[in-house]
Amino acid sequence: MATFTTKDGTTLYYKDWGNGPVVSFSHGWPLSADAWEAQMFFLASNGYRCIAHDRRGHGRSSQPWDGNDMDTYADDLAQLFDALDLKDVTMIGHSTGGGEVARYIGRHGTKRVKKAVLMGAVPPIMVKTDANPEGLPLEVFDGFRKAYLEDRAQFFLDVASGPFFGFNRPGAKVSQGAIQSWWRQGMQCGHKNGYDCIKAFSETDFTQDLKKFDVPTLIIHGDDDQIVPIGAAAMKSSKLVPNAQLKIYKGGGHSLGDTAKDELNADLLAFLKS
């Protein structure tokens, strides 16, 4: 099992599959690197080296009490890149992981980065503020925290069974396996780590980070994303990232890596080759 220890003693688990140009994957809340397996298998099979870590407090990584914030997440990833001496990386981030990619570039620049992909990503900021009136009210995330503390296992099951995959939409093809996999990954997350991460993904403002992007960037979002609504996310991010390419998946939900797997894999491969 491949692991790396950060400067503050946190052990991060990571997968390192294949050989070739490097692609990194940053997962969403409260998941792990397992969420990217379909994309990693596909791209590694097409000549790429695919690296995905479990964020601190998630999956098989250790569960420190502190550091459950975007600055630390980005610094952890930077230390992993340095330890593996990765160059010309295409960084791919989903949901919270998209915030991690944005904050990484904002704090560490693109000396090791060739391209970036933000998919269903939380930037520029999820919560409603005076500067972001299209955002979701803070009460929404307070509700997340309340449900999390009352019955985390049931809350995770409800999210996976409904809005995350869009299984609550009429005619949706429901996969019990996908629900169980999401629930399993979520329950691996440290209790405090997962709780703290709600604030990290919802209240962090990535506006200035996005303005620092200076590599080709693909922004992908489903127009029926019930977790990260497209209007306050991709539509704004695509205007903040210089020369960003925006692709909207019609009828697409939040978890395109599962529900639109073949289309997403093809789009990622095409972007890597472009």
Side-chain angles (χ1 to χ4, degrees), residues 32-218:
S32 71
D34 293 357
W36 285 113
E37 284 191 333
Q39 287 66 53
M40 293 179 68
F41 179 81
F42 176 79
L43 293 177
S45 299
N46 279 276
Y48 291 87
R49 180 185 179 189
C50 297
I51 296 174
H53 68 298
D54 291 354
R55 188 175 300 117
R56 66 167 54 210
H58 295 66
R60 289 136 295 204
S61 293
S62 57
Q63 301 177 1
W65 188 256
D66 298 313
N68 306 299
D69 58 80
M70 282 293 171
D71 286 355
T72 309
Y73 296 158
D75 292 351
D76 286 347
L77 188 55
Q79 290 177 58
L80 178 62
F81 280 15
D82 289 346
L84 298 178
D85 194 24
L86 303 179
K87 298 181 176 70
D88 294 326
V89 181
T90 296
M91 300 184 73
I92 302 177
H94 173 233
S95 197
T96 300
E100 184 176 270
V101 170
R103 184 50 52 92
Y104 173 96
I105 291 176
R107 285 173 71 82
H108 301 281
T110 55
K111 63 183 182 294
R112 293 188 179 275
V113 182
K114 183 178 182 181
K115 298 180 180 181
V117 180
L118 304 179
M119 184 187 81
V122 298
I125 181 172
M126 285 194 73
V127 74
K128 182 178 181 179
T129 64
D130 291 342
N132 185 48
E134 298 86 3
L136 295 171
L138 181 62
E139 290 77 17
V140 171
F141 304 106
D142 287 341
F144 285 2
R145 282 181 277 264
K146 182 175 183 291
Y148 184 99
L149 292 178
E150 286 181 350
D151 190 342
R152 183 170 80 137
Q154 186 61 51
F155 174 53
F156 283 173
L157 188 60
D158 291 342
V159 171
S161 300
F164 192 88
F165 296 105
F167 290 158
N168 55 342
R169 294 305 196 210
K173 183 180 179 182
V174 177
S175 166
Q176 290 299 324
I179 293 169
Q180 291 177 29
S181 176
W182 198 100
W183 185 88
R184 173 188 58 80
Q185 290 176 64
M187 292 305 293
Q188 282 185 299
C189 181
H191 196 281
K192 182 176 186 290
N193 309 98
Y195 181 85
D196 288 354
C197 192
I198 296 173
K199 180 179 180 69
F201 74 65
S202 64
E203 297 181 39
T204 304
D205 189 343
F206 301 97
T207 301
Q208 298 307 313
D209 302 298
L210 295 173
K211 292 178 180 178
K212 293 180 181 178
F213 279 45
D214 59 0
V215 294
T217 302
L218 173 62

